Amino acid sequence: ETGVTQSPTHLIKTRGQQVTLRCSSQSGHNTVSWYQQALGQGPQFIFQYYREEENGRGNFPPRFSGLQFPNYSSELNVNALELDDSALYLCASSLGQLGTTKNIQYFGAGTRLSVL
Amino acid sequence: KQEVTQIPAALSVPEGENLVLNCSFTDSAIYNLQWFRQDPGKGLTSLLLIQSSQREQTSGRLNASLDKSSGRSTLYIAASQPGDSATYLCAVGELTGANNLFFGTGTRLTVIP
């Protein structure tokens, strides 16, 4: 049990729709990262938020956006869904220290998104 | 760009065997390396974390080694059990940039009773 919870666990959407996925970080963790894991692949880094600001982004288009709230919960929003967006979406929280956000990451169980 | 490769992609062993999973990475400027376990349809469970200054970490029947200069890590599982059946992922944290991890595609392990 990592203390990181994600909701919903499963979601079905149709192409072109918008989706919001939620993550509740481990208590006190000020850094959250989001990953996309396609079937049979390793997770791919989407972006990271540190103290409510984006702190790095992987190779994902702008229709993938995020928010981090003062209570360190966060959202991943995906607009104009495409079939290839079908994947397991994982969030990971960590405690960033002064001068660095690098520290062990604790993963949630993920949200499985299916786009039809 | 960091690339992480895991070999083999799948492995089946009889219960009780010792086994080694391999991970290689292209850029040796790493901050740390982690091994994760993932059960089907589930999230990731961290098994071992090795900082770049360390050579190995041990937890129970698991031992992970790191050779940064050659860009390699191994995960050794002793006396395998059917409950060890899962996909094992290796992930590298880079020295610069955000605290993101670069993952391999994993090794799917099946331990046969």
Side-chain angles (χ1 to χ4, degrees):
Chain A
E1 184 63 46
T2 64
V4 179
T5 57
Q6 292 187 242
S7 62
T9 54
H10 295 87
L11 200 53
I12 299 174
K13 291 285 188 178
T14 56
R15 194 169 48 182
Q17 284 188 311
Q18 179 266 343
V19 69
T20 297
L21 310 182
R22 293 180 173 82
C23 174
S24 177
S25 297
Q26 193 176 112
S27 179
H29 282 187
N30 54 16
T31 305
V32 65
S33 302
W34 285 90
Y35 293 82
Q36 179 196 66
Q37 186 179 22
L39 199 61
Q41 301 297 313
Q44 300 281 321
F45 175 68
I46 303 174
F47 45 57
Q48 178 186 84
Y49 279 79
Y50 173 61
R51 293 184 174 177
E52 302 174 53
E53 292 191 6
E54 189 175 291
N55 185 49
R57 189 178 186 94
N59 190 27
F60 281 81
R63 59 188 185 86
F64 286 78
S65 62
L67 282 173
Q68 186 184 29
F69 302 101
N71 65 356
Y72 301 132
S73 65
S74 65
E75 291 180 353
L76 164 65
N77 299 290
V78 187
N79 293 323
L81 283 167
E82 301 176 0
L83 297 180
D84 285 349
D85 295 334
S86 295
L88 181 67
Y89 288 84
L90 298 162
C91 84
S93 76
S94 58
L95 179 60
Q97 300 167 344
L98 183 65
T100 175
T101 60
K102 298 186 187 300
N103 211 332
I104 189 168
Q105 296 186 39
Y106 297 86
F107 282 80
T111 293
R112 183 160 299 282
L113 173 65
S114 298
V115 182
L116 306 178
Chain B
K1 182 195 168 198
Q2 180 73 266
E3 291 185 9
V4 182
T5 304
Q6 290 188 247
I7 294 173
L11 181 64
S12 288
V13 300
E15 182 177 359
E17 269 204 9
N18 304 323
L19 59 102
V20 175
L21 307 181
N22 296 292
C23 171
S24 61
F25 47 95
T26 54
D27 187 346
S28 62
I30 67 169
Y31 188 79
N32 56 30
L33 184 144
Q34 271 185 275
W35 283 92
F36 291 89
R37 169 188 172 132
Q38 186 173 35
D39 293 290
K42 304 293 185 183
L44 307 180
T45 300
S46 180
L47 298 173
L48 290 165
L49 168 72
I50 310 176
Q51 300 291 356
S52 62
S53 57
Q54 297 175 320
R55 286 249 177 202
E56 65 177 338
Q57 283 286 339
T58 298
S59 176
R61 295 182 293 110
L62 306 180
N63 175 276
S65 69
L66 174 63
D67 184 344
K68 207 170 59 164
S69 61
S70 68
R72 294 178 189 275
S73 175
T74 61
L75 178 66
Y76 174 82
I77 302 178
S80 58
Q81 302 171 356
D84 294 332
S85 298
T87 295
Y88 290 80
L89 293 158
C90 161
V92 168
E94 286 199 321
L95 198 57
T96 58
N99 187 25
N100 56 293
L101 298 174
F102 291 87
F103 284 84
T105 53
T107 294
R108 190 171 70 252
L109 172 66
T110 303
V111 180
I112 304 165

